[in-house]
Amino acid sequence: MQDPQYRVEVARQQTTYNQPSYPSFYLASDTDWSTVPVPGRR
């Protein structure tokens, strides 16, 4: 729930027409998790 677009889509899904929410970033099996920044960490 750190991603603003995803958070808004989840809220919209709960209050209006039910469609899947999508994050604003690419999330797939080929993602290199060692380069993904962690929110709140420096």
Side-chain angles (χ1 to χ4, degrees), residues 6-24:
Y6 180 76
R7 189 171 54 242
V8 168
E9 287 298 307
V10 168
R12 182 192 57 80
Q13 182 176 354
Q14 298 302 315
T15 59
T16 61
Y17 189 67
N18 189 12
Q19 285 186 339
S21 51
Y22 299 103
S24 61

Side-chain angles (χ1 to χ4, degrees), residues 1 7 9 14 20 25 28 31-32 34 38-40:
M1 295 303 273
R7 189 171 54 242
E9 287 298 307
Q14 298 302 315
F25 51 88
T31 300
D32 181 10
S34 65
V38 177

Side-chain angles (χ1 to χ4, degrees), residues 25-38:
F25 51 88
Y26 180 67
L27 185 62
S29 61
D30 62 343
T31 300
D32 181 10
W33 293 106
S34 65
T35 61
V36 176
V38 177

